[in-house]
Amino acid sequence: MTTMLPKVLEIERHQLADYARVDYAITKGEDDVAALEELCLGPNELRREASVVRDRTVLAVREVRNNMAKRAITAKSMQGPLVESLRQRSRFAVVYTVDASLRARCFASLECVPTLTLICHFIDAIKAGDLARAESVRFEFQTREDRYEYAVTSRAIFAQFTPSEPADILKRIAKICRAAEMADARVVDLFRRCDRIFVSHRVEPADRGPNRSRAFDISLLGARPAPPREHPIVSVHSAFAA
């Protein structure tokens, strides 16, 4: 697990940087489309130019989006081993009967330990990487009637030494996967922006060319864009504000 965190941090760093690239490119594409609407263009020309901007922008971020999708897959593949590792670390033994026996013996040994000393036992267990014993010590402490005498000390120690690395890794994995989804959603934002032009401007009868509003091949993206969202993401800051 100690080797997993640096890898996840590196993936997260590249993922957020690539999301920023996608967000910037899509925002520029949206601005370009908006600028076209300010020009005195005919319906057909406006639709055609908007399609060019859309296709050019989406193709420009295709490789970045593909890389983000690959990182999300890699991150998801790390979840299973991590969760299993957490489950095993919280047990005294793999075999249920052995685990139950060792857990009972642990609680029996803790019964005669003074309440304040339990905090020291907790610290020692955490430093030794013995999560099962640490959680047992914490549980025993919570059952003591005099625990309130050490409330300030216990809260500080438990908060400081609670093994948070696995939880942090899982949160970062979720952020990596979410960034890939948001990148796809930003592409959809551009499609929706262009669709409003395509719907609001009819094709002139004289134009017999192909309907560029549907001529773009979605397969060029390398992956299907996510469904439209009610609240488009407009920046990296707002995307990760939650």
Side-chain angles (χ1 to χ4, degrees):
M1 191 174 301
T2 56
T3 60
M4 187 178 292
L5 180 57
K7 182 177 181 181
V8 171
L9 289 174
E10 181 180 8
I11 293 176
E12 180 187 27
R13 178 167 55 84
H14 289 301
Q15 194 78 334
L16 298 187
D18 274 354
Y19 173 77
R21 294 185 182 94
V22 172
D23 181 73
Y24 176 82
I26 297 300
T27 299
K28 185 178 183 304
E30 291 172 331
D31 291 343
D32 290 344
V33 171
L36 289 174
E37 292 184 285
E38 299 297 324
L39 301 177
C40 297
L41 301 177
N44 295 316
E45 186 178 4
L46 177 59
R47 290 162 60 93
R48 182 169 56 252
E49 293 300 322
S51 295
V52 170
V53 172
R54 177 198 63 186
D55 296 359
R56 180 180 64 238
T57 303
V58 174
L59 287 173
V61 300
R62 180 181 61 178
E63 184 176 355
V64 177
R65 292 178 63 252
N66 286 343
N67 290 337
M68 293 185 70
K70 292 176 182 177
R71 292 192 198 101
I73 293 174
T74 299
K76 287 180 181 179
S77 69
M78 300 168 71
Q79 283 182 318
L82 180 61
V83 172
E84 178 62 21
S85 175
L86 285 173
R87 190 180 71 83
Q88 293 298 333
R89 286 179 60 185
S90 65
R91 298 172 62 90
F92 286 91
V94 177
V95 180
Y96 175 78
T97 54
V98 178
D99 175 71
S101 175
L102 293 175
R103 194 174 299 275
R105 290 168 56 183
C106 178
F107 280 121
S109 67
L110 294 174
E111 289 180 356
C112 59
V113 177
T115 303
L116 181 59
T117 306
L118 285 174
I119 299 177
C120 298
H121 281 252
F122 175 81
I123 296 175
D124 291 340
I126 289 296
K127 289 183 176 180
D130 191 349
L131 181 60
R133 181 171 179 80
E135 290 302 323
S136 297
V137 173
R138 187 206 298 269
F139 181 83
E140 175 66 22
F141 180 87
Q142 296 299 332
T143 64
R144 300 295 179 87
E145 293 183 357
D146 62 340
R147 67 183 182 278
Y148 299 107
E149 299 178 17
Y150 316 102
V152 176
T153 301
S154 64
R155 281 198 298 267
I157 295 298
F158 291 156
Q160 179 181 358
F161 287 94
T162 297
S164 59
E165 181 177 307
D168 182 51
I169 293 176
L170 287 174
K171 289 180 181 179
R172 293 180 185 279
I173 288 176
K175 184 181 291 187
I176 291 168
C177 296
R178 176 60 180 156
E181 295 173 358
M182 290 191 300
D184 287 350
R186 288 297 286 124
V187 174
V188 172
D189 289 341
L190 180 60
F191 271 81
R192 295 172 63 186
R193 182 73 181 81
C194 293
D195 282 345
R196 286 196 290 270
I197 293 178
F198 300 150
V199 171
S200 61
H201 294 79
R202 294 179 178 276
V203 179
E204 296 175 359
D207 187 349
R208 302 300 181 182
N211 185 347
R212 286 292 294 166
S213 69
R214 302 301 175 192
F216 182 78
D217 187 356
I218 298 297
S219 65
L220 293 176
L221 300 177
R224 294 184 62 184
R229 296 169 295 103
E230 294 182 359
H231 304 288
I233 299 168
V234 297
S235 69
V236 178
H237 181 271
S238 63
F240 291 95

